[in-house]
Amino acid sequence: MNIGSIATAMITPFREDGSIHFEMVSDVVEHLIANGTDSIVVCGTTGESPTLSHDEKVALIRFVVKTVHNRVTVIAGTGSNNTQASIDLTNEAEAAGADGIMLVAPYYNKPNQRGMYEHFAAIAQSTTLPIMLYNIPGRSIVNIQPQTVLQLSKIPNIQIVKEASGNLDQMTEILAGAPDGFTVYSGDDGLTLPLLSIGGAGVVSVAAHVVGNDMQKMVKAFKEGRHEEAASIHQALLPLIRALFATPNPSTVKYALTKLGIGSEYVRSPITLLTDEEKSAFDDVWQEYEKKQI
């Protein structure tokens, strides 16, 4: 599965009453494609997947696939802490035309490594779609250990791991032992450049909603050997990336997008809208970023 250098974990725009605003979903898709996104992840955590119903996820996947119309890769977040439910949603995502699926580590249940292997292997066996594993111990509590990732990488349709452990040593271990064609992507915007430097392929990004083109410039500079330029862009991006995650995701990135005339601020409980003070704090960082020449 080719997802390029930058995949964006897309927000889900809502109306004030909490329903999905499909017209705005279309606007967000067009914005992302025009601003540096190589592929789109729909129904990920940034899309507020924990508060989307099964039927809403299926409708959203179908809509995004239709809107994208083969212009970029569409990856559907179908993982959960329920193996059978993940299989069911995966089957519907495949029928809807998704190009691949993303499977988060089973959260809350706290399975051991054998349990996680069996969970992912069972879902992989149920589909022909390429699979991206998603390791995010800060949210799921469990860490998919490198040896488990490497064991899973032997399953033909498990082709990518999105690593959001923040542990570059762990990522290095996976890269050193992975078979040809298995790739590692950062799940943290701020580790995009460090991961590229040890052999990673790119990032599944939140910040790309607003700075996708600048992130592409950084990746291109690195790949073309202009490492000082890449480092300079990374340094300029980092304060903005931190500001985007100063409140629970995706409230700040939704607010940031509205400054560009895209989407809506509305989020589903238990995520909350930004306060005026939080907006002001982000505005200050945004203004400083706009002054920089990237």
Side-chain angles (χ1 to χ4, degrees):
M1 175 168 58
N2 179 17
I3 68 170
S5 299
I6 297 178
T8 304
M10 191 184 77
I11 62 157
T12 302
F14 297 123
R15 300 180 187 276
E16 189 172 3
D17 65 4
S19 61
I20 298 173
H21 198 316
F22 282 98
E23 293 88 347
M24 284 187 178
V25 173
S26 182
D27 292 342
V28 173
V29 167
E30 297 303 330
H31 168 77
L32 292 178
I33 292 174
N35 287 274
T37 292
D38 297 313
S39 52
I40 290 173
V41 178
V42 59
C43 297
T45 312
T46 303
E48 297 174 76
S49 58
T51 64
L52 295 173
S53 70
H54 176 92
D55 289 347
E56 285 177 322
K57 289 177 183 178
V58 173
L60 195 52
I61 293 164
R62 286 176 179 157
F63 186 85
V64 171
V65 167
K66 183 178 179 181
T67 304
V68 167
H69 195 59
N70 299 316
R71 288 176 290 168
V72 297
T73 301
V74 176
I75 304 151
T78 60
S80 72
N81 62 344
N82 178 328
T83 305
Q84 187 57 53
S86 300
I87 289 171
D88 293 342
L89 184 56
T90 294
N91 292 338
E92 296 212 54
E94 184 165 5
D99 299 301
I101 59 167
M102 182 177 73
L103 302 177
V104 69
Y107 42 85
Y108 195 80
N109 310 33
K110 295 181 72 173
N112 58 19
Q113 297 300 305
R114 180 167 57 86
M116 283 190 280
Y117 177 88
E118 292 182 359
H119 170 81
F120 292 125
I123 301 168
Q125 190 174 14
S126 77
T127 183
T128 63
L129 289 177
I131 292 170
M132 175 194 295
L133 305 175
Y134 180 15
N135 187 37
I136 182 161
R139 287 183 181 269
S140 65
I141 304 303
V142 290
N143 179 38
I144 314 173
Q145 295 290 343
Q147 287 306 312
T148 304
V149 173
L150 293 174
Q151 189 179 6
L152 286 162
S153 73
K154 297 174 184 176
I155 298 173
N157 59 334
I158 297 182
Q159 300 175 2
I160 301 171
V161 62
K162 174 186 175 184
E163 253 292 341
S165 65
N167 186 336
L168 285 167
D169 289 351
Q170 175 161 305
M171 298 177 213
T172 301
E173 189 174 342
I174 294 168
L175 286 161
D180 289 344
F182 187 86
T183 51
V184 179
Y185 281 74
S186 176
D188 297 301
D189 282 292
L191 288 180
T192 305
L193 185 59
L195 179 61
L196 288 174
S197 74
I198 61 170
V203 61
V204 181
S205 175
V206 174
H209 281 93
V210 290
V211 289
N213 286 329
D214 290 343
M215 294 184 73
Q216 284 285 14
K217 288 178 185 177
M218 179 182 71
V219 172
K220 187 172 188 286
F222 177 82
K223 290 184 175 179
E224 292 179 355
R226 293 177 280 117
H227 295 160
E228 288 186 8
E229 181 182 342
S232 177
I233 297 172
H234 168 75
Q235 291 158 15
L237 282 167
L238 198 57
L240 181 64
I241 289 167
R242 286 176 174 164
L244 286 168
F245 290 95
T247 64
N249 188 43
S251 55
T252 303
V253 74
K254 281 192 163 183
Y255 169 67
L257 268 176
T258 65
K259 294 170 71 68
L260 303 177
I262 305 293
S264 72
E265 293 181 52
Y266 299 116
V267 287
R268 283 185 175 175
S269 181
I271 303 298
T272 58
L273 291 168
L274 298 191
T275 64
D276 289 342
E277 292 79 9
E278 289 166 340
K279 289 180 180 179
S280 179
F282 178 79
D283 289 345
D284 290 343
V285 177
W286 181 253
Q287 288 165 11
E288 286 299 312
Y289 185 78
E290 286 187 314
K291 293 176 185 177
K292 297 171 183 176
Q293 298 297 315
I294 292 180

